[in-house]
Amino acid sequence: MAGEPGLGDPKPVWRRHFRQRRADQPEAQQKRLLAQALTGVPPLLGADQRLGLYWPLAGEPDLRELTRALPGRLALPAIRDLADKRRLGYEVWGGTDPLLPDATGVPAPVPAGTSLPAAALGLLLVPALAFDRRGFRLGYGGGWFDRLRADPSWRAVPALIVAPASCAVEQLPVDPWDVPFNGWLSEGGIEWLQPVERSGL
């Protein structure tokens, strides 16, 4: 599309462009994305698996109604100071439990609990500013999800990018450490790039 950044542009240029595009999404489109999530996400989880949701920041699709569809089966990401470094993990969230900012200021469960093992999660939903047809995601630049999913046990958990369809591009600039996702969730539904055995697809 005319006016979009080119592959030679640095990622901050892409982030500014798609932050604005995502913010301009009409409310009706946001509602359609939520409806697709409510219909398509719950059947993807096994009986004992949790959904790795996210707390929506400004402009991100708000999928918190999934708390009613999956009561007692949610987890939120939390970045904690552990030993000599910060790490992203997922912690149990009941949907109405209190939240406090994690190490980066994003609301997270309190009191800080033990991070769940990858095997406890059946699906991760991760918001993005933009995504491409190869499954790469443009985030905010922290690299938290790339580092988490560099671990083979977390890479085995199906993970979907969440973003409006208008934020899809053919190709994003990528770095060597970027880890592609299994597909995406938009107002058009869920698209998988390949079958995911753990979800029975």
Side-chain angles (χ1 to χ4, degrees):
M1 183 177 293
E4 286 188 354
L7 277 176
D9 291 319
K11 282 186 176 180
V13 172
W14 286 77
R15 290 188 180 101
R16 286 194 298 272
H17 178 81
F18 282 99
R19 191 187 295 267
Q20 185 60 52
R21 177 173 292 184
R22 194 181 62 181
D24 290 341
Q25 298 304 303
E27 185 177 346
Q29 199 165 12
Q30 300 280 6
K31 289 181 177 178
R32 287 197 298 272
L33 198 157
L34 174 60
Q36 292 288 358
L38 291 170
T39 301
V41 169
L44 299 176
L45 298 179
D48 299 322
Q49 293 178 323
R50 291 182 180 273
L51 170 66
L53 194 56
Y54 59 89
W55 188 263
L57 302 180
E60 293 178 348
D62 187 348
L63 304 184
R64 285 176 291 177
E65 280 194 40
L66 284 166
T67 59
R68 287 189 276 181
L70 295 165
R73 299 181 60 194
L74 299 173
L76 286 181
I79 297 168
R80 305 293 186 190
D81 289 309
L82 301 174
D84 60 342
K85 67 166 80 172
R86 288 180 172 178
R87 290 189 181 175
L88 170 67
Y90 278 84
E91 299 174 8
V92 172
W93 183 52
T96 58
D97 300 338
L99 302 169
L100 281 177
D102 67 5
T104 60
V106 177
V110 292
T114 302
S115 290
L116 294 165
L121 282 293
L123 178 69
L124 305 181
L125 297 179
V126 180
L129 293 169
F131 63 96
D132 73 16
R133 303 297 178 179
R134 303 168 299 166
F136 286 103
R137 163 187 174 268
L138 182 69
Y140 298 108
W144 300 108
F145 288 101
D146 290 315
R147 285 191 288 276
L148 178 75
R149 298 184 64 243
D151 180 327
S153 63
W154 282 100
R155 185 72 176 267
V157 180
L160 293 172
I161 297 163
V162 180
S166 62
C167 291
V169 298
E170 285 303 315
Q171 188 174 353
L172 286 170
V174 297
D175 293 307
W177 54 83
D178 289 335
V179 179
F181 282 67
N182 302 101
W184 53 85
L185 165 65
S186 72
E187 69 276 17
I190 294 173
E191 283 196 53
W192 295 100
L193 290 175
Q194 65 276 325
V196 179
E197 292 181 7
R198 283 189 57 187
S199 61
L201 299 177

